[in-house]
Amino acid sequence: MLMAQNDTTIHWSKTGDFSISFNQVNFTNWAAGGENSVSGVTLFNYDVNYNDGSNSWKNKIILGYGMQFLGENYKKTDDKIDLSSMYGRALNEKWDIAILAFLKTQFAEGFDGGNDSVYISKFMAPGYAGIGPGFDYKPAEYFSLFMSPATAQWVIVNDQRLADAGAFGVTPAEYDTAGVKIKDGEMVQFQFGANIKAAFKKDIAKNVNLETTLELFSDYLNEPQNIIVRWDVVFDLKVNEWLSAKLTTNLIYDHNITINDANGLPLGPRTQFKEMFGLGLGIKF
C-alpha cells in the first residue's frame, strides 16, 4: 500500500518508491546454445507536494538507470532524469492557473546497436528544458490535465560532434564545397508552442498501481502540425512488503529525431517504443 507522510500544519505531502530489478540467465553445456547474461534496472520515483487550498506546488523526480551484461559486453537498457515542478493558484475546486517547468535528460553515454565506439547521446545531449503558463484541471485526486498555449522549450545538445550532425533537431554545421566546416552546429534549439500533459496515478486492483503520463507538444515555429508525443506507463505489482514487479513502457514520436537502420543509414523519424519487465526489491515510502 502506498503510504504518504502528511503534515496538516504546513500542508506538505510526500510519496515515493525505490526499486531494483534483476534478470539473470546462465548456460552450462547447453546444446541449443545461448549466452550468459545479467541485467539490472534501478528506478527512483518521488513526489513532494504542497497544497493549502489556494496555492499548490507539485514537484516530481524520476531517476532510472539499467545495464545488461551479455557475455563480456555490457549495454545500457534504461537511462532517465525527469524533473518537473508546477505552481498553481486555485480558481475553483477543479481548476488552477499554473506554471510548469521541467528538465529531461540522461546520465550516461548511449550507443547504437553493436557499435560501442561512437556514442550517439550523453548527459544533456539531448536535454529538454521548458517552462510555460497554463491551466491545470484536477477533477479527481488521481488525475490531472495541464494545458499551456505558450510553452518555451529548449532542446540542448551539449556535444559539438552531435550538434554538428544536427542530432535531435538542432541546426547542423555548415561546410564549404571542400568539406571544411565553416560554421559550428548549434547546441541549443529554441521551440515555442502548445503543451499538454495528462497524468494518472491510482491503484487499479489490489496491490496493482498504474501510473501513466502523456505529453503532447506542438512547436509553432517548426511544423506545428507534427505533434511531439511522449507517453510513459508504469504498472507496479506489489508481491509483498519487499518484493515487487514492474512493467514499464515508453513511447516517443519526435519528427526532429532521425532513426538509422542497422547499417547506419537514415530512415527518418519513426515511432520509438521501449518495454521492460523486472522482479526485484521494491520499497515505498
Side-chain angles (χ1 to χ4, degrees), residues 63-248:
L63 306 175
Y65 193 78
M67 295 288 292
Q68 180 187 50
F69 295 86
L70 187 62
E72 298 181 354
N73 302 314
Y74 67 90
K75 293 186 181 298
K76 182 172 66 173
T77 58
D78 193 26
D79 194 353
K80 176 186 291 187
I81 300 174
D82 192 342
L83 313 176
S84 64
S85 182
M86 180 192 296
Y87 169 77
R89 177 73 176 179
L91 298 175
N92 55 44
E93 291 185 357
K94 296 183 179 180
W95 287 91
D96 286 0
I97 185 170
I99 184 168
L100 172 67
F102 59 87
L103 174 67
K104 304 175 186 289
T105 186
Q106 60 189 41
F107 289 100
E109 294 178 349
F111 300 87
D112 186 14
N115 186 353
D116 294 338
S117 60
V118 180
Y119 61 83
I120 60 171
S121 63
K122 58 187 288 190
F123 176 73
M124 292 305 291
Y128 300 92
I131 187 168
F135 296 93
D136 189 30
Y137 175 56
K138 303 175 294 182
E141 182 180 355
Y142 53 83
F143 176 77
S144 66
L145 177 65
F146 175 76
M147 296 167 285
S148 170
T151 291
Q153 179 171 285
W154 293 265
V155 180
I156 304 164
V157 179
N158 190 33
D159 182 273
Q160 195 60 61
R161 178 179 62 82
L162 295 176
D164 287 347
F168 306 103
V170 298
T171 303
E174 296 180 10
Y175 299 86
D176 62 19
T177 55
V180 177
K181 185 170 66 172
I182 58 176
K183 184 179 180 181
D184 286 340
E186 296 182 3
M187 290 186 174
V188 179
Q189 181 80 32
F190 177 70
Q191 299 176 334
F192 181 76
N195 183 44
I196 295 176
K197 181 177 181 178
F200 177 96
K201 185 176 183 178
K202 185 182 181 183
D203 290 338
I204 58 174
K206 184 178 180 181
N207 295 328
V208 180
N209 182 267
L210 168 63
E211 181 173 5
T212 181
T213 303
L214 174 64
E215 297 178 77
L216 307 174
F217 181 76
S218 171
D219 183 9
Y220 300 147
L221 307 178
N222 179 33
E223 300 181 275
Q225 74 279 7
N226 292 330
I227 307 300
I228 298 173
V229 180
R230 297 178 183 274
W231 185 20
D232 298 330
V233 179
V234 179
F235 284 96
D236 191 352
L237 295 80
K238 193 69 175 176
V239 179
N240 57 34
E241 185 178 0
W242 297 102
L243 291 177
S244 67
K246 282 187 182 292
L247 172 65
T248 66

